[in-house]
Every structure is written in structure tokens, then in C-alpha cells.
Amino acid sequence: MKVAITSTGNTLESLLDQRFGRCACFVIYDTESKAIQFIPNPNKDAEEGTGSASVEFVASRAVQKIVSGRFGVKIEPILDSLKIQMIVIKEPKKKIKDIIKMLDH
Amino acid sequence: MSPRIKTLRKVQNPSLVKGFKPYGPDAGKQNSEPVILLYEEYEALRLCDYEMRNHHQASVLMGVSRPTFTRIYASALQKIAAGFVEGKRISIEGGKVYFDSDWYQCAGCKCYFNNPEKEKEIMNCPLCGNQQIAPFKSETPMDETMVTIKAE
């Protein structure tokens, strides 16, 4: 199963990005093959519509869960209808490697 | 000019049944078209008359304005009345809605998560696998963040 994590940078030491649409980087983690992929967010500096554009971007990679700090009101219903699970972590100091370790439980 | 697009209405859960059928000796005589009760109308009736909320509270829960909610509610009553009086079937379907899923909080890692598969019950935290999870009561966990951001 693939999980997307919003990240502030492209290393395992980077912190979780609290924003979804405008996060710097998406980390796509495959829980079965343990493959980790860093993809810079193409919508990072867009003026508007970043939320739905990012949802499309992530959904096209067949992700089933998204870990972020916050999801906007517009994308919540979209993710709900796509049956993508949202996981909200309210700790800004979480590192990507810690989240991956937790996902491996 | 095309009319304005309706805003999405939030419905907590789909109704248990798909509709209602009249019975009795004359029930099958007029095999007419069913009355179509939209999901949002069903939800309006549920919030108002089953959960005994007022129109204002119910409109907030459905994410529409209070006047819009009153219109949805009036339309629901009108349709149900038509079904009862004319002995028509009532079918609950359609409408511009989305289903809000339930949110949970994990006691282990303090994260929040929703349950996109409503039929299946969540047993473990999707992040750390902890079994101690509790339903999260607030509308969405996001509201809280917005408040803290404003407070700073």
C-alpha cells in the first residue's frame, strides 16, 4: 500500500510539512516494497487551486493514505470520495524517517 | 444564463433503506412514478425532526446557509406529504451531497485520522498500529488548528 507524506525537503531528515497543497515535497512510501520516492511538488508556488491540483497529483500515483499536518476544507470532501485516508499529525517537529518507522509498525 | 451551481451538502451517513413502499389493498393500483427524496432532504429531516436540532444548527452541520436549509427541509416535507397522500413509493436517492466520514484520534501517537471505508470499522491506528483509538468528537480536527493560528 502506498502512503504519501508531505515533506519540507527531500531527505529523510526533513520535517513533516504542515501544509498539504503547498508542501515542498511529497514522499511516496510503499509499505510492501519499502521503496521511498521523493517528488517535488509542482504546485508549490501556484497562486490558487493548489489543494485540488495536489490531490490529483497524489491520486494519480495510487496512494491510499496521506499524512500531513492539515487538510483544507475544499480537499477534504474530494479525498473522502476518492476513499483516500487522511492522517493528521499535529506535531511540527516530526521527521520523515520517524513517520516511516511508525508506518512500519 | 445558467443558474448558479448548488453548493455541496454534507450528509453524515446514507439512509438505512433505499425507500418506502405503500401497502394495503389499493397500494398497487396506481403503479405510478415514485417520489424521489434527495439525500440532502433526508438528512435535513433527520437533523431537524429526529435529532431535534433547529434549522440554524442543522444548516451548519450540512454546510449550507440557514435559508437554504429551510428550503431543503420544506421540500422534504412537501415530497413526503405528496407520497403519503397520493400513496406513492418514496425513493431516497440523488442530490448534491458528499458523505462526511468519522474522525478518530490515536492514544499512542496522538494523530488524527478518518475512516474512508464507512462500512468497515477501524481497529488500529493507520500510523502506529496502536489499538487504543477513540472517536474524535469535533466537526473536523482542522477547526482547532485554525483557531490556534489565529490566536498566535
Side-chain angles (χ1 to χ4, degrees):
Chain A
M1 180 174 49
K2 281 185 176 173
V3 186
I5 309 164
T6 57
S7 161
T8 50
N10 57 2
T11 61
L12 285 176
E13 296 291 322
S14 308
L15 300 176
L16 175 82
D17 204 318
Q18 288 295 301
R19 303 160 301 173
F20 172 71
R22 280 177 225 275
C23 69
C25 195
F26 285 111
V27 183
I28 312 279
Y29 176 61
D30 194 324
T31 50
E32 276 133 40
S33 67
K34 312 276 180 224
I36 305 168
Q37 204 182 358
F38 290 89
I39 309 166
N41 185 359
N43 316 305
K44 189 180 176 242
D45 300 314
E47 292 252 315
E48 54 180 44
T50 54
S52 45
S54 298
V55 170
E56 245 169 68
F57 182 75
V58 176
S60 67
R61 282 172 169 73
V63 160
Q64 286 175 4
K65 290 179 188 175
I66 301 178
V67 185
S68 186
R70 175 168 143 65
F71 295 92
V73 283
K74 278 188 196 167
I75 61 164
E76 240 185 85
I78 307 176
L79 289 174
D80 225 17
S81 54
L82 287 171
K83 290 205 188 278
I84 296 176
Q85 188 173 42
M86 294 172 262
I87 303 172
V88 178
I89 301 181
K90 290 262 186 64
E91 288 165 62
K93 292 275 177 312
K94 269 261 188 290
K95 282 180 183 166
I96 297 299
K97 63 171 183 188
D98 297 333
I99 295 168
I100 288 176
K101 208 180 280 172
M102 281 163 87
L103 283 167
D104 276 336
H105 59 261
Chain B
M1 284 271 278
S2 55
R4 252 186 80 168
I5 298 162
K6 281 182 182 160
T7 52
L8 270 175
R9 286 87 201 254
K10 186 155 77 186
V11 173
Q12 274 171 354
N13 267 309
S15 58
L16 287 174
V17 291
K18 295 257 185 266
F20 297 91
K21 261 197 312 200
Y23 78 101
D26 293 336
K29 280 189 181 163
Q30 314 119 303
N31 209 356
S32 50
E33 286 288 291
V35 177
I36 292 174
L37 189 71
L38 303 175
Y39 271 122
E40 63 229 46
E41 291 163 347
Y42 160 80
E43 177 77 352
L45 200 75
R46 189 182 72 83
L47 290 173
C48 251
D49 295 326
Y50 183 74
E51 294 195 354
M52 305 299 273
R53 294 176 196 271
N54 63 34
H55 284 199
H56 179 73
Q57 294 166 330
S59 69
V60 173
L61 286 175
M62 283 180 72
V64 294
S65 73
R66 210 277 308 148
T68 305
F69 178 82
T70 304
R71 276 194 295 275
I72 297 172
Y73 180 72
S75 156
L77 287 190
Q78 211 270 322
K79 284 182 179 176
I80 291 168
F84 277 8
V85 173
E86 295 169 24
K88 284 180 174 171
R89 284 176 290 144
I90 298 174
S91 167
I92 304 174
E93 59 183 71
K96 189 153 184 188
V97 295
Y98 71 93
F99 296 105
D100 189 28
S101 49
D102 298 331
W103 282 83
Y104 298 89
Q105 185 176 23
C106 167
C109 59
K110 302 275 176 250
C111 73
Y112 303 89
F113 51 93
N114 73 337
N115 179 9
E117 310 259 350
K118 287 187 196 67
E119 290 77 25
K120 268 191 261 167
E121 212 177 322
I122 284 197
M123 301 308 290
N124 298 51
C125 169
L127 196 60
C128 64
N130 198 317
Q131 290 194 344
Q132 284 174 309
I133 56 170
F136 188 73
K137 287 291 170 208
S138 153
E139 263 297 276
T140 50
M142 283 66 182
D143 297 343
E144 212 177 73
T145 349
M146 283 175 85
V147 175
T148 44
I149 289 166
K150 272 179 208 157
E152 282 160 12

